[in-house]
Amino acid sequence: MLKLSADPVICRKGIVLERLVKWGAVSLLLSPLVIAHAAGLLRQERTFDTTANPRIVLSNLMGQVVIKGWDRQQAHVIYSTTSPLVSVDIDQLPLDGAAEKLHLTTRVLSPQATGVDKTVSYSLDVPMDASVEIRNNEGRVEIEKLQGDALLDSSGGAISVADIAGRVVANSIDGSIEILRSTGKIEATSICGDLRFVGAKGSALRAQTTSGKIVYEGDFMADGEYSFRNYSGNIDLFLPPSASFELNRTLVRGNFVSDIPISSHPRRRYSPSGPHVHTFLGTNVSSTAAVKLSSYSGNVRIHRQN
Amino acid sequence: MSEVNFELNSARAGCTQFDVDLPAYLEGEDRPGIARHASECGFCAAVLGDLELIRSQSHDFLFDDPPARVWANVRATLVAEGFFRTPKVGWLKRLPSWGQIDWVRQAVPLGATACLALIAAALMVSPGSINQNRISQSYSEEAAVSAAGLPLNESMDVDPSLAQSVSAMEKSYREHEKFLDPAVQASYRKGLQSLDDSIRQCRDSVRKEPTDTVAREYLTSAYEQKASVLFAALEYDGR
């Protein structure tokens, strides 16, 4: 607050100055919004009533997508665009009442839009039992705490999934895929991306990459079926010493090292042939889980998990 | 002469009845005349044999599910094409005029779908039956370049139909690549490069040692993955 003088001229100047300061402060506060609007930055927020297990389908071009399960029968959608050259269409089915399906689609409104213009970030809270189908070409995808299935597709963005009870199918070209504490079946496929699995509790896991690495941490489920296959990356399994599994591995040029003793037994199945193919069938403890390891030129190592 | 005509007419009548009964027979109904006529008429026997073969192979096809990615891509294409969208307001305004439709870009996903269907069909048929059924194949000069950049006759280590389809898709991709965002383009290029490297190495291994089933398996797998990546790239139109 300015100190006002008894002189009327000075007093008036003081009042004007005080008003200028006030307006300046207000302008400063509003300036980010004005700049954001001018730059096309827009944050929208919408809430939809849904059934207990809606299907959420999201198709995005670039930007981060985060989806979390919560205990409400509602879908809370927040999205941010960076340019007026893109828009987001949200369609619900049925049109009235609780939504059984929710489609969110990023649309490019102008061919002039460049990569940055096309960026839209999404953050969704959805019912726990929801299933999701996400396609995000470039940008990270994070899914957490869902009971339903998750079908995820990306070109170059990383995919991270945690605490999913349903089936997880994740595909990428160049992005890494990380799946933590999933209790459903898992299928993860990438071309160049690394694959990492921690604490998987599902009955089946299939991991395939061409040049990426594969890392598995945790025990195998009884009667579970696990397949790890790549072309040139390494495969590392971190297992507890008590892990019970039957190992069927096929390596062509890579090496195999195991910190856990595995006793071999006579081959009972089809054996691939080739001049440099090294196949092995063995068990540790007993043969409850079936583990298939295949690599053409990558190394495979089974580590003892402490 | 009249006896000949009588036999001819009788045979034609048998063939006509065969044609009438055939659909029901293939559906599993009891039609003893089908087998009897097939044993007498070579032409109808050949038709029956072909249909039985198609039926048995299509039966196998139903049990051999394509990868989930294929369904995801097909679905994504349909979604992208607006099949699942429910217009809320102003749907009439969303309809493009004839001049606004980009026919070339609309045709690319459809072409890709067709190529993938060809690949799927090729994979369902065993190599042996392909060789038996193949009468002749003529490749255009444009298509005679394999996915890994080698002449097609040098990429016979995999099913030629698969190699040809991948080659055609790659040609479309090269034309379509300029429509991709640089970041997306870089991802696809990196992926395709990685697959080409594995294709090249596996092919060399197969050539050196034709009995190397693992290398052959990896080679086929790399081609399938490449088809999948190309399909995804072709359906991407940045909308």
Side-chain angles (χ1 to χ4, degrees):
Chain A
M1 181 67 73
L2 293 173
K3 190 180 177 183
L4 298 180
S5 166
D7 186 333
V9 178
I10 297 173
C11 181
R12 190 172 175 178
K13 282 183 180 173
I15 290 168
V16 170
L17 191 61
E18 189 180 15
R19 283 181 181 169
L20 280 172
V21 169
K22 275 184 183 175
W23 280 110
V26 170
S27 302
L28 275 174
L29 284 171
L30 292 175
S31 59
L33 292 174
V34 175
I35 292 167
H37 184 72
L41 291 168
L42 188 65
R43 184 177 182 273
Q44 293 278 326
E45 197 168 339
R46 291 179 68 179
T47 302
F48 300 85
D49 289 330
T50 66
T51 58
N53 53 354
R55 182 161 188 80
I56 313 293
V57 181
L58 191 153
S59 178
N60 191 34
L61 302 170
M62 293 181 180
Q64 191 174 40
V65 175
V66 178
I67 298 182
K68 293 177 182 174
W70 67 357
D71 56 1
R72 297 185 204 172
Q73 288 195 15
Q74 285 183 323
H76 181 64
V77 178
I78 301 172
Y79 63 87
S80 305
T81 58
T82 56
S83 163
L85 301 178
V86 295
S87 71
V88 173
D89 288 355
I90 304 180
D91 299 323
Q92 79 164 72
L93 290 171
L95 294 173
D96 299 315
E100 293 170 11
K101 291 181 183 174
L102 209 55
H103 290 253
L104 300 98
T105 310
T106 300
R107 301 258 175 217
V108 177
L109 303 175
S110 166
Q112 309 300 324
T114 61
V116 179
D117 296 326
K118 294 176 183 175
T119 303
V120 180
S121 297
Y122 290 87
S123 176
L124 278 72
D125 292 304
V126 300
M128 286 255 191
D129 288 332
S131 57
V132 297
E133 187 178 325
I134 312 297
R135 183 158 199 219
N136 192 32
N137 282 295
E138 293 290 327
R140 186 175 172 82
V141 176
E142 288 181 26
I143 313 289
E144 279 182 36
K145 294 176 186 167
L146 287 181
Q147 301 291 315
D149 296 345
L151 180 58
L152 313 166
D153 211 328
S154 170
S155 304
I159 294 174
S160 176
V161 174
D163 303 305
I164 303 290
R167 182 168 170 246
V168 176
V169 179
N171 298 301
S172 82
I173 307 271
D174 190 26
S176 63
I177 298 174
E178 181 184 65
I179 298 176
L180 312 176
R181 301 177 299 277
S182 177
T183 55
K185 290 183 178 178
I186 296 171
E187 285 177 46
T189 308
S190 182
I191 305 298
C192 311
D194 296 338
L195 311 180
R196 182 167 178 252
F197 309 92
V198 178
K201 301 287 184 193
S203 61
L205 185 152
R206 193 168 71 187
Q208 181 169 345
T209 175
T210 299
S211 54
K213 297 174 190 168
I214 299 176
V215 174
Y216 180 91
E217 296 176 35
D219 204 347
F220 294 124
M221 299 302 292
D223 298 323
E225 290 185 9
Y226 300 82
S227 170
F228 304 96
R229 179 187 168 98
N230 69 5
Y231 180 78
S232 59
N234 291 342
I235 300 176
D236 289 281
L237 309 184
F238 294 84
L239 308 177
S242 60
S244 171
F245 59 93
E246 180 187 71
L247 178 67
N248 185 352
R249 67 172 161 85
T250 302
L251 303 178
V252 180
R253 294 177 185 165
N255 296 319
F256 176 79
V257 176
S258 178
D259 299 340
I260 295 176
I262 299 172
S263 58
S264 64
H265 52 70
R267 179 159 292 283
R268 293 175 297 187
R269 300 176 186 169
Y270 160 75
S271 172
S273 64
H276 310 292
V277 178
H278 304 288
T279 60
F280 175 85
L281 192 67
T283 54
N284 179 52
V285 185
S286 65
S287 56
T288 55
V291 178
K292 190 174 180 184
L293 289 167
S294 308
S295 185
Y296 194 81
S297 57
N299 297 317
V300 176
R301 178 162 187 174
I302 297 179
H303 306 256
R304 183 191 294 266
Q305 196 180 43
N306 296 317
Chain B
M1 187 67 178
S2 62
E3 277 182 14
V4 172
N5 281 338
F6 175 76
E7 281 178 12
L8 199 59
N9 289 334
S10 175
R12 280 177 185 162
C15 292
T16 306
Q17 189 59 42
F18 177 86
D19 290 341
V20 170
D21 289 342
L22 190 57
Y25 174 79
L26 292 171
E27 291 292 326
E29 291 182 22
D30 186 29
R31 292 286 191 278
I34 290 288
R36 191 170 55 245
H37 179 72
S39 65
E40 297 165 353
C41 175
F43 182 80
C44 290
V47 170
L48 181 63
D50 287 347
L51 290 171
E52 292 278 16
L53 182 68
I54 290 168
R55 186 173 66 168
S56 65
Q57 288 188 347
S58 62
H59 189 259
D60 293 342
F61 176 83
L62 290 175
F63 283 95
D64 200 351
D65 230 13
R69 185 184 179 85
V70 173
W71 295 123
N73 287 333
V74 169
R75 183 180 170 76
T77 305
L78 292 172
V79 170
E81 295 302 317
F83 282 96
F84 296 152
R85 293 193 62 244
T86 307
K88 289 166 77 179
V89 286
W91 63 272
L92 202 56
K93 291 178 183 174
R94 294 185 184 183
L95 287 177
S97 65
W98 284 97
Q100 287 175 316
I101 298 174
D102 189 344
W103 292 101
V104 174
R105 294 177 71 178
Q106 294 286 335
V108 165
L110 290 173
T113 309
C115 286
L116 209 69
L118 275 174
I119 292 167
L123 291 172
M124 292 305 113
V125 182
S126 67
S129 62
I130 288 173
N131 291 332
Q132 284 170 8
N133 295 333
R134 183 178 297 119
I135 298 168
S136 65
Q137 280 191 335
S138 60
Y139 299 116
S140 68
E141 278 189 25
E142 284 184 343
V145 176
S146 78
L150 288 174
L152 194 60
N153 59 4
E154 289 184 27
S155 64
M156 289 298 183
D157 308 309
V158 292
D159 180 351
S161 303
L162 176 62
Q164 190 190 16
S165 297
V166 169
S167 175
M169 288 174 85
E170 187 162 37
K171 186 169 175 287
S172 299
Y173 169 74
R174 296 295 172 213
E175 292 165 1
H176 183 70
E177 196 178 23
K178 56 179 176 284
F179 296 115
L180 299 177
D181 286 308
V184 177
Q185 196 181 94
S187 295
Y188 281 114
R189 274 192 181 174
K190 192 176 172 189
L192 290 170
Q193 184 61 50
S194 176
L195 289 167
D196 279 345
D197 289 345
S198 62
I199 285 171
R200 202 168 291 117
Q201 289 170 19
C202 288
R203 198 181 47 219
D204 289 347
S205 298
V206 169
R207 293 228 179 102
K208 284 176 191 165
E209 187 52 64
T211 59
D212 189 343
T213 57
V214 174
R216 195 174 288 278
E217 197 181 300
Y218 270 96
L219 181 61
T220 303
S221 173
Y223 266 98
E224 288 170 17
Q225 283 184 299
K226 186 164 181 176
S228 182
V229 171
L230 288 169
F231 179 82
L234 288 170
E235 70 164 3
Y236 176 87
D237 62 1
R239 283 183 299 179

